[in-house]
Amino acid sequence: MRTQVGIIGSGPSGLLLSQLLHLQGIDTVVLERRTQEYVLGRIRAGVLEQGAVDMLREAKVADRLDREGLVHDGFDIAFGGRRHRIDLRKHTGKAVTVYGQTEITKDLMDARAAAGGNLVYEAENVQIEDLDCGTPKLTYTKGGENHEVVCDFIAGCDGFRGISRRTIPDNILKTHERVYPFGWLGILADTRPVSDELIYVNHWRGFALCSMRSPTRSRYYIQCAFDENLEEWTDDRIWDELRVRLPDAAAESIEMGPSIEKSIAPLRSFVAEPMRFGRLFLAGDAAHIVPPTGAKGLNLAASDIHYLSQALIAHYAEGGRMDLIERYSENCLRRIWKAERFSWWMTNLLHKFPDQNSFDQGVQRAELDYLTESEAAQAALAENYVGLPY
Ligand code: RFL
Ligand code: PHB
């Protein structure tokens, strides 16, 4: 098989890239190692910056998002039993949109299928070959048969555990990492969300987050040990622990119900650079991870794809133009490091750290107090939360 851009991974990064390139007449093949059902079953992000919404509109996959997405002008931070609102609209003139990653993935998959896009699920043992020549190759196995795709470029959109990043030689790739000593236990339930807006909670027993997917579907998280055993968390135990951490009025009014999904996610900050090695590009979680506290992971994937699609479109439309391709890594990383800083800061602000002493607790409390008293501090938080410019 021959294509212009070979894409590994059918998460939001890979699908969005494939769709944007398709709209400009550029041919892609997407190789995904899982089944379509598996990819659609993963419950992940929920909060979109305006930049990500604009990208989905540009990709012509935003009809349902525009109908069903919930526009949020603010969110609450709770500590010491009280809630404090951060007014995103007042401080930035912008808002965020709550719309599940699962829905975005579905909308993109439907659009690719309607356009006859070449998406191969259950592609096993995907390998990148001949990266040092002008036409690199993707090889894979499916149904016991070997296949190969000859490409002009390869986009590694295969997430944190994919193979693309590992293809870049050790003496070229630099990685930077922080692993946090806790995880998030998430529960999804068909119950009315406890609040119209998100509530991020700092509590002495650990962080909690009240989020949602729709007016009838709630998503809640509680901080847990990083090696927590999910089996030990019955629904009742999760609801009890969540209610202990919420301010009283929220704890009393929360609607509980059976979970339709439960999972534990570790928290990590990670950056790999450079994000290009010859004709191979890394995008999204393949290149960087943020702890979910700032809701930046999917949004960073969207901004990477903005830079990558622009570079590839300019290359094909303008006689092999290379400057945007050469600046891809640098352009992405400037924005990525700012989102890394913000996510790390928000994680430190809101979580209980096992080795925190009374001094650390005092500083954390002072930072929370400062945030509620200072318009400037709220404006800085709001500016980062709605998303820095591309
Ligand atoms: P994905 O979504 O991981 O997709 C990668 C795809 O590549 C496939 N793959 C391979 N395919 C072929 N061959 C191989 N060798 C392969 N190896 C892997 C995988 O099967 C998969 O389908 O990466 P992508 O596209 O870069 O998208 C990134 C986002 O998924 C991620 O950043 C967000 O989900 C992070 N995130 C959040 N981001 C936000 O912007 N806002 C949020 O509110 C938010 N909340 C979250 C989150 C992530 C969470 N978890 C579980 C990590 C909440 C949670 C709990
Ligand atoms: C979610 O709804 O899954 C969500 C919302 C905000 C975050 C992280 C996750 O910061």
Side-chain angles (χ1 to χ4, degrees), residues 9 12-13 32-33 42 44-46 101 158 285 295-299:
S13 306
E32 165 60 51
R33 93 179 144 155
R42 289 190 296 226
R44 288 185 169 181
Q101 178 169 333
D158 48 353
D285 281 13
K296 290 287 168 245
L298 174 60
N299 291 299

Side-chain angles (χ1 to χ4, degrees), residues 58-76:
E58 185 188 331
K60 301 196 188 312
V61 290
D63 288 355
R64 203 158 63 95
L65 163 67
D66 285 330
R67 275 199 315 275
E68 297 175 14
L70 306 171
V71 175
H72 284 202
D73 289 338
F75 64 87
D76 278 3

Side-chain angles (χ1 to χ4, degrees), residues 43-47 98-101 184 188 198 200 207 209-213 218-221 291-296 346 385:
I43 308 295
R44 288 185 169 181
V47 175
V98 172
Y99 188 70
Q101 178 169 333
W184 278 19
L188 188 70
L198 272 60
Y200 289 83
F207 169 79
L209 171 61
C210 305
S211 182
M212 67 196 71
R213 288 294 174 271
S218 323
R219 178 69 164 163
Y220 297 107
Y221 296 97
T293 328
K296 290 287 168 245
M346 217 163 143
Y385 195 83

Side-chain angles (χ1 to χ4, degrees), residues 147-165:
H147 301 266
E148 100 178 17
V149 188
V150 178
C151 317
D152 298 339
F153 297 100
I154 292 173
C157 302
D158 48 353
F160 184 61
R161 304 200 176 281
I163 53 113
S164 306
R165 190 177 65 250

